[in-house]
Amino acid sequence: MTEQKKTVSNSAIWSYALTQSLQTFTIMTPYAYGTLFMTTYLGINMATMGTILVIAKFVDFIICMSSGAIIESANFKKGKYVPIMELFRWVVAIGAVGQMTDLNFLPYGVKFTVVAASYICMHGSMNFLQTANYGLMAVMAGGNYTDRIAIAQKNSQISAAVGILRSFGTVPLITFVGKVMNSPAKGYTVVTIAFAVVYIACTFWFASNLKGKEAPRDPNAPKRIVKLKDMIEALTGNDQLIVYLIWQTISQLGTQIMTLIGIYYWTLVMGGYTTWYSIGMGLTTCSGFVFSLFVPKIGVKLGKLKSLFIAQYAGWVAHVLRFFLGLKSYYWMTVIGIASSAVMYLQMGFGANYVLDIGEYGYYKTGKDYRAVVTAFSSVPMKLSSVIAGAVGPYFLSFIGFDKFNEANMAGTLDKTSAEFIKFQKTYMAAYCFTPLIGSVLGFLIFKKGYKITDDKAVFYAKENAAKAAQAAAAKAQA
């Protein structure tokens, strides 16, 4: 890959990386423990939770489809992306806290509505924030691919480091606060609020590093309105985007189901939530931090595509090992997680650049700048698969008897040696492991066949588009 001189300051890179990591810190408590909180502390059964998720995720999907067009059409005084971050940081924080608040003082129907609305606030805001995050990387680095890789790698390293605190500390901190307040549910609420406050504070530092980086749009220029036909053109005019979306939609469906039901492996299927879960997650993220320091550099030497291929193959092996070893001991889940994360950092070191490459390719090919729309489209597979998984996951657990076993487990009367429970465990593990495996294999076959953006072509597209933008700006200044 062609090397270019680094131009972005370390302060700017660190502020970007920390903001992304703390944003993840804020949303991960409701993302990882939201379903557990609803079923355990809000008294919402699995079928009702599935209904909440289907409604909220469908609205989130609609927001996702329109977010790129809204960003492209906006004409903010501060630029395209910075105002998006400054607005939606508040909405995402409110949504996170709303999902983790003890609402048992409210009637059941109102509780249902507040949880759904909070979910939409958090996830809907992330559609805008994720697009802005990708765009701000391009704003910081311009067409300099060395800078883009440096930002992405630092982001993966800081994410891994902050992840250590999140993994080791979240559950013990929630438990400690819950004991102090004599309410386990309030432990989740207070910790989520604390995470949100730290994230909001960091965004101010990041914004200060962006001053002068993003030029505001000319208020006298005709306002650009991105309509449905423009979104369709952005999609149909970019064959690599279509390949990416098909690949991710198929593979993300399995991943979303796995993520949604994954916490119950630790609370019900095998246990260990209060004894090993945080330790295991902490060990995985500690090793991940170590891997993030050198594995991405190996990835740069291999290139984006080779790194992605190797990471995919390692993921498939991990799913198979989880199925055969996961019911023997939950320690194996930690070992598998550590081993697979080592290989995953080959791919993770490139971060948003996979998506940015597709946007640059479309701009170069068509001459029309739909890069923000393309970036927003990149979230569609996750959102669409999330809608389906939001129904399939809870309804599947309800069908195999989760509510009955979970109630007995909470009451301390569950017989984990019974044939009925052993059957439940095996059925759960089959869905948990093979659903994402099948999706990943099928999606990847499509990607490998249809994706054509090589590493050198990606550098070329970025440089050519940056030069085109500079020429246009110079011509405008002379006019």
Side-chain angles (χ1 to χ4, degrees), residues 71-136:
I71 292 173
E72 284 287 7
S73 301
N75 191 21
F76 300 111
K77 293 181 179 179
K78 291 185 177 181
K80 182 191 294 186
Y81 298 115
V82 172
I84 293 294
M85 180 191 71
E86 292 180 335
L87 170 61
F88 285 99
R89 61 187 173 187
W90 299 103
V91 185
V92 76
I94 291 170
V97 173
Q99 289 178 81
M100 305 305 289
T101 299
D102 186 352
L103 303 172
N104 284 312
F105 63 93
L106 296 174
Y108 197 83
V110 178
K111 183 164 52 177
F112 180 106
T113 303
V114 171
V115 170
S118 298
Y119 184 99
I120 293 168
C121 282
M122 188 182 89
H123 290 269
S125 296
M126 285 303 300
N127 295 312
F128 291 92
L129 287 171
Q130 192 65 44
T131 300
N133 293 341
Y134 287 0
L136 288 170

Side-chain angles (χ1 to χ4, degrees), residues 258-381:
M258 176 183 177
T259 301
L260 189 66
I261 70 175
I263 190 64
Y264 298 113
Y265 171 88
W266 299 95
T267 61
L268 177 61
V269 176
M270 282 295 289
Y273 180 68
T274 58
T275 57
W276 180 255
Y277 175 75
S278 290
I279 297 173
M281 290 294 291
L283 292 173
T284 302
T285 49
C286 279
S287 59
F289 173 67
V290 175
F291 298 142
S292 74
L293 298 177
F294 68 91
V295 174
K297 296 178 182 178
I298 299 174
V300 171
K301 294 183 180 297
L302 292 173
K304 289 198 301 298
L305 291 182
K306 285 184 180 178
S307 296
L308 188 148
F309 294 165
I310 295 171
Q312 291 292 307
Y313 302 147
W316 299 347
V317 173
H319 289 313
V320 174
L321 290 176
R322 287 188 183 99
F323 177 75
F324 286 107
L325 300 175
L327 290 180
K328 294 183 181 298
S329 170
Y330 49 63
Y331 298 126
W332 279 114
M333 297 294 274
T334 301
V335 173
I336 295 168
I338 291 173
S340 61
S341 73
V343 185
M344 288 302 295
Y345 271 98
L346 288 173
Q347 173 186 344
M348 290 171 64
F350 294 103
N353 285 286
Y354 290 101
V355 174
L356 293 177
D357 290 349
I358 297 172
E360 299 286 7
Y361 164 80
Y363 186 19
Y364 177 81
K365 178 184 176 184
T366 65
K368 296 182 179 180
D369 189 0
Y370 292 127
R371 285 176 291 183
V373 176
V374 169
T375 302
F377 265 131
S378 71
S379 297
V380 168

Side-chain angles (χ1 to χ4, degrees), residues 388-410:
I388 301 171
V392 173
Y395 293 150
F396 165 76
L397 290 177
S398 179
F399 176 75
I400 65 174
F402 170 86
D403 290 319
K404 177 179 65 176
F405 292 122
N406 191 49
E407 184 178 349
N409 188 46
M410 292 175 63

